[in-house]
Amino acid sequence: MAVPRACAAAKLVEQAGYVTEPADRAAVWVVAGAPGAGKSTVSGLLLAQLRPVPALLDKDTLFSGFVSAVLATHGRPHGEREGPWYDSHVKVHEYAGMTAAARQIREAGCPVMLVGPFTGQIRAVSQWRSWVGELGGEPVRLVWVRSDAGTLRTRLSAREWDRDAGKLAAFDAFVNRIQPDQPPPVPHLEIDNRQRAAPLDQQIAAALARTGRSGWSGR
């Protein structure tokens, strides 16, 4: 009996060692963590393992230039990327746009990967559940990148980005707000990117192997 083309293709993907997604509903992957924790690196390694490859929506890539223009228009410091004014005038719209785009993309059958701090969304069970609903419902899979104050200070200082100036100027308040080494109280995969942690590719492979195609703890 001939094997249907789609089934044959899926089998080849599985044999190649990739992690395949169920075909019934497109998933949302959320890669979250503190600025400077290594989310972009982790998301890149995840994308290399997932099939079909999710559409990538990275907050910095999408909004960095626009945010700079908004801050300049309102006479705000270029490095102001945290705090009450930024949260209420900028961040709320960044996350709303990413959420709406993710929902629209997955409604067409394509998985999505969102990359950003998402501190407000992941730090309370009620807010997480509400956000999952806004994204179109499960499966929404949180990958949290662990860091710590020392690692963050080193990385933020080393990359010398203008938009990190506000974080470094009030570093203690930034760390207290972002909680880089406090796991979120919602189902998640943890990837440890602190100094002296195990290689990221090994952690990601092990994490995906633990979850399996049907064993995801966030369902």
Side-chain angles (χ1 to χ4, degrees), residues 22-117:
D24 55 343
R25 191 168 192 180
V28 177
W29 291 81
V30 178
V31 180
K39 298 182 296 297
S40 295
T41 301
V42 170
S43 64
L45 292 170
L46 275 171
L47 290 172
Q49 293 295 320
L50 298 173
R51 293 298 182 274
V53 180
L56 176 62
L57 299 178
D58 184 295
K59 185 175 82 72
D60 288 341
T61 302
L62 291 170
F63 294 110
S64 180
F66 181 75
V67 170
S68 296
V70 170
L71 293 174
T73 299
H74 288 272
R76 311 294 297 191
H78 179 71
E80 182 179 0
R81 306 299 169 108
E82 298 287 337
W85 189 92
Y86 182 86
D87 289 352
S88 61
H89 291 84
V90 180
K91 186 182 291 184
V92 62
H93 301 296
E94 291 178 297
Y95 286 165
M98 294 178 73
T99 300
R103 180 166 184 152
Q104 185 177 45
I105 290 169
R106 73 187 301 216
E107 284 176 351
C110 179
V112 185
M113 182 175 291
L114 300 174
V115 180

Side-chain angles (χ1 to χ4, degrees), residues 179-196:
Q179 298 180 302
D181 56 358
Q182 180 63 41
V186 298
H188 65 278
L189 291 176
E190 177 181 323
I191 303 298
D192 188 350
N193 200 24
R194 294 173 293 183
Q195 296 174 355
R196 296 180 297 279

Side-chain angles (χ1 to χ4, degrees), residues 103-215:
R103 180 166 184 152
Q104 185 177 45
I105 290 169
R106 73 187 301 216
E107 284 176 351
C110 179
V112 185
M113 182 175 291
L114 300 174
V115 180
F118 298 113
T119 305
Q121 288 82 357
I122 70 173
R123 290 298 174 185
V125 174
S126 59
Q127 288 177 289
W128 172 256
R129 289 175 176 168
S130 176
W131 191 38
V132 168
E134 293 172 8
L135 287 166
E138 298 286 4
V140 178
R141 298 167 176 173
L142 173 60
V143 179
W144 176 66
V145 184
R146 178 189 283 270
S147 189
D148 57 28
T151 303
L152 287 183
R153 186 188 290 275
T154 298
R155 289 178 178 162
L156 292 176
S157 299
R159 69 187 188 182
E160 298 182 329
W161 290 359
D162 290 344
R163 62 175 180 261
D164 290 333
K167 304 179 186 71
L168 290 169
F171 187 74
D172 290 342
F174 163 68
V175 170
N176 289 335
R177 183 169 57 251
I178 206 74
Q179 298 180 302
D181 56 358
Q182 180 63 41
V186 298
H188 65 278
L189 291 176
E190 177 181 323
I191 303 298
D192 188 350
N193 200 24
R194 294 173 293 183
Q195 296 174 355
R196 296 180 297 279
L200 292 178
D201 56 347
Q202 295 179 15
Q203 292 189 59
I204 290 171
L208 292 175
R210 287 196 305 270
T211 62
R213 291 183 57 179
S214 60

Side-chain angles (χ1 to χ4, degrees), residues 9-15 17-23 29 49-52 141 212-214:
K11 186 65 175 178
L12 288 173
V13 168
E14 183 175 347
Q15 290 173 346
Y18 297 113
V19 178
T20 56
E21 290 286 358
W29 291 81
Q49 293 295 320
L50 298 173
R51 293 298 182 274
R141 298 167 176 173
R213 291 183 57 179
S214 60

